[in-house]
Amino acid sequence: DGLDFLTDCDPDRVLPCHGSIARAACEDCGAAVDFDTYCGLVQTQIKDIYGVDNAAPEASSPIVCTACGSPAVKPTTVLFGANLPAAFFHSLHDDLPTADLVIVAGTSLVVSPANLVAKLAACPAVVVNREPVGEDLGLSFHGKDTFVQGDADDVFSLVLRDLGWLDDIADPDDLP
């Protein structure tokens, strides 16, 4: 959802397994595109289907990669049926075995391979969701794992409050 970019988290410690709307790259060669540059290209090359931007072009034209010439530049989101980024699988192999805790929030845990994070974690998992999920993957809510029922926003707001961190969180009205 891109909210990780509004924090002080080191981007190398955040792995959006389904990509990010806040980064752009060529889907063919993988060359990264500066995000501000990409946004400018969207404004000048992509039709405004909602009719909000009078300066938008009447018709869309592809955004061409400056590295390979392919018309395949888009946000780095992973579309249905596409492979997850290689970094996901590297992290699953290299980082997950050393994790102390896995937090899973707002998911059905039905779609593989993303659900492997919860399934393969040797450490405890905390699952925050509206309904229980993951027991069919081997999560044990009567053992090492914990299920917290509720909306993720509500649950994590309570955690922040209980930790005394609410004052450290920006007012949502102040966010860009």
Side-chain angles (χ1 to χ4, degrees):
D1 59 15
L3 291 176
D4 51 296
F5 291 101
L6 300 175
T7 71
D8 289 333
C9 291
D10 178 350
D12 292 334
R13 298 191 56 86
V14 176
L15 178 64
C17 70
H18 291 106
S20 174
I21 193 75
R23 293 182 183 149
C26 176
E27 197 161 56
D28 286 345
C29 76
V33 176
D34 174 75
F35 193 69
D36 290 334
T37 301
Y38 173 74
C39 289
L41 292 169
V42 168
Q43 276 190 306
T44 60
Q45 292 181 230
I46 304 299
K47 177 182 177 177
D48 175 12
I49 62 172
Y50 299 106
V52 175
D53 184 0
N54 293 334
E58 291 292 319
S60 294
S61 60
I63 298 177
V64 177
C65 176
T66 57
C68 74
S70 179
V73 176
K74 69 173 217 36
T76 60
T77 53
V78 177
L79 302 177
F80 184 77
N83 290 329
L84 295 182
F88 170 81
F89 296 100
H90 293 298
S91 184
L92 197 65
H93 180 267
D94 297 341
D95 299 328
L96 188 59
T98 64
D100 296 318
L101 177 69
V102 169
I103 299 172
V104 178
T107 178
S108 65
L109 287 176
V110 171
V111 180
S112 191
N115 64 358
L116 292 177
V117 173
K119 181 177 183 174
L120 299 178
C123 63
V126 175
V127 177
V128 178
N129 211 43
R130 290 180 182 156
E131 61 277 331
V133 294
E135 290 180 294
D136 57 325
L137 296 173
L139 296 179
S140 172
F141 298 132
H142 304 289
K144 71 176 178 66
D145 305 311
T146 302
F147 173 70
V148 181
Q149 188 162 16
D151 288 335
D153 288 347
D154 297 337
V155 170
F156 289 113
S157 292
L158 292 173
V159 169
L160 292 172
R161 183 201 68 198
D162 291 349
L163 291 171
W165 294 352
L166 275 181
D167 291 340
D168 297 334
I169 305 300
D171 182 336
D173 294 334
D174 294 338
L175 297 176

Short mmCIF file of all heavy atoms in Angstrom, two decimals, residues 31 38 40 43 48 55 58-59 82 86 109 112-114 119-120 127 154 174:
data_model
loop_
_atom_site.label_atom_id
_atom_site.label_comp_id
_atom_site.label_asym_id
_atom_site.label_seq_id
_atom_site.Cartn_x
_atom_site.Cartn_y
_atom_site.Cartn_z
N ALA A 31 14.73 -2.59 -15.37
CA ALA A 31 15.37 -1.32 -15.05
C ALA A 31 14.44 -0.44 -14.22
O ALA A 31 13.27 -0.25 -14.58
CB ALA A 31 15.77 -0.58 -16.33
N TYR A 38 8.43 8.83 -13.46
CA TYR A 38 7.33 7.97 -13.89
C TYR A 38 5.98 8.69 -13.75
O TYR A 38 5.16 8.67 -14.67
CB TYR A 38 7.32 6.66 -13.08
CG TYR A 38 6.11 5.81 -13.35
CD1 TYR A 38 5.99 5.11 -14.55
CD2 TYR A 38 5.07 5.73 -12.43
CE1 TYR A 38 4.88 4.34 -14.81
CE2 TYR A 38 3.95 4.96 -12.70
CZ TYR A 38 3.86 4.27 -13.89
OH TYR A 38 2.74 3.52 -14.15
N GLY A 40 5.39 11.84 -13.81
CA GLY A 40 5.31 12.85 -14.86
C GLY A 40 4.93 12.24 -16.19
O GLY A 40 4.12 12.81 -16.95
N GLN A 43 1.26 11.45 -16.27
CA GLN A 43 0.46 12.66 -16.50
C GLN A 43 0.44 13.08 -17.96
O GLN A 43 -0.57 13.57 -18.44
CB GLN A 43 0.99 13.82 -15.67
CG GLN A 43 0.47 13.83 -14.26
CD GLN A 43 0.82 15.12 -13.55
OE1 GLN A 43 1.98 15.51 -13.51
NE2 GLN A 43 -0.19 15.76 -13.02
N ASP A 48 -6.77 10.38 -18.91
CA ASP A 48 -7.48 10.51 -17.64
C ASP A 48 -8.90 9.98 -17.86
O ASP A 48 -9.76 10.68 -18.40
CB ASP A 48 -7.50 11.98 -17.20
CG ASP A 48 -8.33 12.21 -15.96
OD1 ASP A 48 -8.72 11.23 -15.29
OD2 ASP A 48 -8.60 13.39 -15.65
N ALA A 55 -5.47 18.66 -18.73
CA ALA A 55 -4.20 18.65 -19.47
C ALA A 55 -3.81 17.24 -19.92
O ALA A 55 -2.86 17.08 -20.69
CB ALA A 55 -3.09 19.23 -18.61
N GLU A 58 -5.73 12.91 -24.87
CA GLU A 58 -7.00 12.29 -25.27
C GLU A 58 -6.89 10.77 -25.34
O GLU A 58 -7.86 10.06 -25.12
CB GLU A 58 -7.44 12.84 -26.64
CG GLU A 58 -7.87 14.29 -26.61
CD GLU A 58 -9.16 14.48 -25.83
OE1 GLU A 58 -10.09 13.66 -25.97
OE2 GLU A 58 -9.23 15.47 -25.07
N ALA A 59 -5.70 10.28 -25.66
CA ALA A 59 -5.47 8.84 -25.76
C ALA A 59 -4.15 8.51 -25.06
O ALA A 59 -3.24 9.33 -25.02
CB ALA A 59 -5.40 8.41 -27.23
N ALA A 82 1.22 -13.38 -12.22
CA ALA A 82 2.64 -13.06 -12.42
C ALA A 82 3.46 -13.60 -11.24
O ALA A 82 2.94 -13.81 -10.15
CB ALA A 82 2.82 -11.55 -12.56
N ALA A 86 11.94 -11.91 -7.18
CA ALA A 86 12.97 -12.85 -6.72
C ALA A 86 13.37 -12.55 -5.28
O ALA A 86 13.68 -13.46 -4.51
CB ALA A 86 14.19 -12.78 -7.64
N LEU A 109 -4.63 -15.96 3.56
CA LEU A 109 -3.58 -16.98 3.56
C LEU A 109 -3.91 -18.14 2.63
O LEU A 109 -3.49 -19.27 2.85
CB LEU A 109 -3.29 -17.49 4.97
CG LEU A 109 -2.54 -16.53 5.87
CD1 LEU A 109 -2.39 -17.12 7.27
CD2 LEU A 109 -1.16 -16.21 5.29
N SER A 112 -0.80 -18.97 -2.70
CA SER A 112 0.60 -19.35 -2.62
C SER A 112 1.32 -18.65 -3.77
O SER A 112 0.71 -18.42 -4.81
CB SER A 112 0.69 -20.87 -2.77
OG SER A 112 1.97 -21.31 -2.47
N PRO A 113 2.54 -18.27 -3.61
CA PRO A 113 3.49 -18.64 -2.58
C PRO A 113 3.54 -17.67 -1.39
O PRO A 113 4.30 -17.90 -0.45
CB PRO A 113 4.82 -18.66 -3.32
CG PRO A 113 4.67 -17.63 -4.37
CD PRO A 113 3.23 -17.68 -4.78
N ALA A 114 2.77 -16.58 -1.42
CA ALA A 114 2.84 -15.60 -0.32
C ALA A 114 2.51 -16.24 1.03
O ALA A 114 3.07 -15.88 2.06
CB ALA A 114 1.92 -14.42 -0.59
N LYS A 119 3.47 -20.33 6.70
CA LYS A 119 3.59 -21.79 6.76
C LYS A 119 5.00 -22.24 7.16
O LYS A 119 5.16 -23.18 7.95
CB LYS A 119 3.22 -22.40 5.41
CG LYS A 119 3.29 -23.91 5.39
CD LYS A 119 2.84 -24.46 4.05
CE LYS A 119 2.85 -25.97 4.09
NZ LYS A 119 2.30 -26.56 2.89
N LEU A 120 6.02 -21.58 6.65
CA LEU A 120 7.39 -22.04 6.85
C LEU A 120 8.08 -21.41 8.06
O LEU A 120 9.19 -21.82 8.41
CB LEU A 120 8.23 -21.76 5.59
CG LEU A 120 7.76 -22.48 4.32
CD1 LEU A 120 8.64 -22.07 3.14
CD2 LEU A 120 7.75 -23.99 4.51
N VAL A 127 -1.31 -13.54 13.90
CA VAL A 127 -2.22 -13.33 12.77
C VAL A 127 -3.31 -12.37 13.22
O VAL A 127 -4.03 -12.64 14.18
CB VAL A 127 -2.84 -14.66 12.29
CG1 VAL A 127 -3.84 -14.42 11.17
CG2 VAL A 127 -1.75 -15.62 11.85
N ASP A 154 -7.51 -1.21 13.54
CA ASP A 154 -7.95 -1.12 14.93
C ASP A 154 -7.00 -1.83 15.88
O ASP A 154 -6.62 -1.30 16.93
CB ASP A 154 -9.36 -1.70 15.08
CG ASP A 154 -10.41 -0.94 14.28
OD1 ASP A 154 -10.17 0.25 13.97
OD2 ASP A 154 -11.45 -1.54 13.96
N ASP A 174 -1.88 14.99 8.26
CA ASP A 174 -0.61 15.61 7.90
C ASP A 174 0.14 14.83 6.82
O ASP A 174 1.15 15.32 6.30
CB ASP A 174 0.31 15.73 9.12
CG ASP A 174 -0.24 16.69 10.15
OD1 ASP A 174 -1.06 17.56 9.80
OD2 ASP A 174 0.16 16.57 11.34
#
